[in-house]
Amino acid sequence: MNPRAQQGVWVAPGRVNIIGEHTDYNGGYALPIALPQVVTCRATVTDDGFVRVGSAQHAGETVCEPIDDLAESAVRGWARYPLGVVHEFRRRGHDLPGVVLEIDGAVPVGAGLSSSAALECAVALALRDLFGLDVDRTELIDIGRAAENSYVGAATGTLDQSAALLCTAGHALFLDFASGASAQVPFDPAGAGLRLLVADTGSPHRLADGEYGRRRSECEAAARELGVASLRMLTDPDQVRRLADPVLRRRARHVITENARVLTVVELLRAGRDPRAIGPLLTAAHGSLRDDFDVSTPELDAAVAAALDAGAHGARLVGGGFGGSIIALVKAVDTESIEAAIRRRFSSAGFAEPRFFHAAPSAGARRIS
């Protein structure tokens, strides 16, 4: 094995979803972009039968586990994500003699920007390339999803892994989760004098605490009662009236209307319309996530309201909800004033100091050395 094959460095980005939340596991549509912020994985082949994982963000916490015993590993926390990816490769019959994984993460953790999927995808791509495995990116997406679902215990779909592995610079990624198809959609807010502002509210974003899984179960229950394989098959919000349970009615209505919003945004962008035109759809999506899907928080609502009051064209929570971040489509020249407005709103409410990032459509996972 030549020296290049024995080690290397790979990166995978975080993501923000322009629109399309909680639609992936319902067979629907979504439109994410990759972030400039990435998780870096330096991987080195060993032959001792162990996987060693360290992180620049957790100095002195190197984890060392026998590869053959990963199914029974009691490791929890951040290290369980890369261990889960290694385990999933092994479970699928790929022989990995041993590996050292050194992680460095620039994607904010707990902000709803998919730092976990970025970690999974950086490791998955590294293992694929490092060991010369015949695994395409579609399977890498599924490996990351399986690691998060079965090994970590978060009942997520494949949106985040798809964004990390398939996004390209200057584009949003249109995903159809029923067919598995994807397409690149030109998205250039900067060219229109706009910026996609991300505000991390500082409220912890946790998916493995049961709420995300509960929403998924509620959607599945609604689909069963409506006699369809998935809520994707429904296009008329009035169809939810057939559901006796008001909670299931609201969950189903969000998915149906969110899918419609994604398709409208894609149509507007493909037609070359001014990106400002998608702003009201972002705001409508927040209302649906807040009122029908019950995944917002006081911090998220306050950030959205402050951004809109200060002149944003549209704003909404991003990711699974239950904390994390919002996105706001703003004039580039108004960015600082809108950030200041959100800070003032948070200060008056006694919330933690928010953090801000600027999201530009960036490249997906790749090897860099």
Side-chain angles (χ1 to χ4, degrees), residues 85-234:
V85 173
V86 176
H87 170 67
E88 188 61 23
F89 270 99
R90 294 273 295 177
R91 194 186 67 79
R92 296 180 185 218
H94 299 292
D95 182 26
L96 309 180
V99 66
V100 176
L101 303 170
E102 300 171 74
I103 307 300
D104 191 359
V107 182
V109 175
L113 303 179
S114 197
S115 58
S116 59
L119 172 54
E120 293 155 7
C121 292
V123 171
L125 191 62
L127 295 174
R128 193 276 302 269
D129 293 351
L130 196 61
F131 293 99
L133 306 176
D134 185 18
V135 178
D136 63 17
R137 292 205 174 206
T138 299
E139 188 174 358
L140 289 177
I141 290 167
D142 192 58
I143 286 171
R145 188 271 319 158
E148 190 147 354
N149 289 180
S150 302
Y151 204 75
V152 176
T156 59
T158 59
L159 188 157
D160 297 343
Q161 293 84 4
S162 297
L165 285 160
L166 301 179
C167 277
T168 62
H171 296 83
L173 180 69
F174 177 45
L175 294 167
D176 180 338
F177 293 100
S179 68
S182 65
Q184 304 294 332
V185 179
F187 182 55
D188 181 20
L194 302 174
R195 181 169 284 161
L196 198 61
L197 175 66
V198 180
D200 175 8
T201 67
S203 53
H205 173 82
R206 300 186 181 95
L207 295 183
D209 62 359
E211 286 298 324
Y212 191 103
R214 184 173 296 112
R215 296 302 183 280
R216 185 167 185 163
S217 297
E218 289 166 345
C219 290
E220 292 169 351
R224 283 195 303 272
E225 289 194 28
L226 291 168
V228 293
S230 73
L231 293 176
R232 151 67 178 274
M233 301 177 69
L234 304 175

Side-chain angles (χ1 to χ4, degrees), residues 9-327:
V9 180
W10 290 259
V11 297
R15 66 95 190 94
V16 292
N17 199 20
I18 297 174
I19 199 157
E21 302 295 0
H22 292 276
T23 51
D24 54 347
Y25 55 81
N26 285 294
Y29 308 104
L31 191 68
I33 62 170
L35 290 171
Q37 292 87 355
V38 298
V39 170
T40 302
C41 175
R42 180 181 297 275
T44 305
V45 172
T46 66
D47 60 2
D48 60 3
F50 285 86
V51 53
R52 292 175 176 82
V53 186
S55 168
Q57 286 68 49
H58 299 272
E61 295 183 26
T62 300
V63 171
C64 181
E65 293 282 289
I67 283 186
D68 289 340
D69 298 338
L70 287 177
E72 289 77 39
S73 174
V75 171
R76 293 293 181 267
W78 66 271
R80 193 157 183 86
Y81 291 90
L83 291 179
V85 173
V86 176
H87 170 67
E88 188 61 23
F89 270 99
R90 294 273 295 177
R91 194 186 67 79
R92 296 180 185 218
H94 299 292
D95 182 26
L96 309 180
V99 66
V100 176
L101 303 170
E102 300 171 74
I103 307 300
D104 191 359
V107 182
V109 175
L113 303 179
S114 197
S115 58
S116 59
L119 172 54
E120 293 155 7
C121 292
V123 171
L125 191 62
L127 295 174
R128 193 276 302 269
D129 293 351
L130 196 61
F131 293 99
L133 306 176
D134 185 18
V135 178
D136 63 17
R137 292 205 174 206
T138 299
E139 188 174 358
L140 289 177
I141 290 167
D142 192 58
I143 286 171
R145 188 271 319 158
E148 190 147 354
N149 289 180
S150 302
Y151 204 75
V152 176
T156 59
T158 59
L159 188 157
D160 297 343
Q161 293 84 4
S162 297
L165 285 160
L166 301 179
C167 277
T168 62
H171 296 83
L173 180 69
F174 177 45
L175 294 167
D176 180 338
F177 293 100
S179 68
S182 65
Q184 304 294 332
V185 179
F187 182 55
D188 181 20
L194 302 174
R195 181 169 284 161
L196 198 61
L197 175 66
V198 180
D200 175 8
T201 67
S203 53
H205 173 82
R206 300 186 181 95
L207 295 183
D209 62 359
E211 286 298 324
Y212 191 103
R214 184 173 296 112
R215 296 302 183 280
R216 185 167 185 163
S217 297
E218 289 166 345
C219 290
E220 292 169 351
R224 283 195 303 272
E225 289 194 28
L226 291 168
V228 293
S230 73
L231 293 176
R232 151 67 178 274
M233 301 177 69
L234 304 175
T235 57
D236 183 356
D238 287 343
Q239 291 173 288
V240 306
R241 294 178 180 175
R242 293 158 46 199
L243 293 166
D245 186 331
V247 172
L248 297 189
R249 264 201 312 273
R250 289 188 288 114
R251 303 297 187 256
R253 182 168 56 225
H254 166 72
V255 174
I256 295 169
T257 58
E258 186 79 343
N259 280 328
R261 284 186 286 270
V262 175
L263 294 177
T264 301
V265 169
V266 170
E267 181 181 358
L268 291 170
L269 293 178
R270 281 178 169 166
R273 292 282 300 278
D274 189 319
R276 291 169 179 80
I278 74 173
L281 292 156
L282 304 186
T283 304
H286 182 77
S288 182
L289 288 160
R290 178 192 63 215
D291 301 333
D292 280 346
F293 226 66
D294 290 324
V295 296
S296 193
T297 65
E299 293 91 341
L300 293 168
D301 291 340
V304 166
L308 294 172
D309 290 346
H313 295 290
R316 69 173 190 85
L317 71 86
V318 65
F322 310 110
S325 300
I326 71 151
I327 56 170

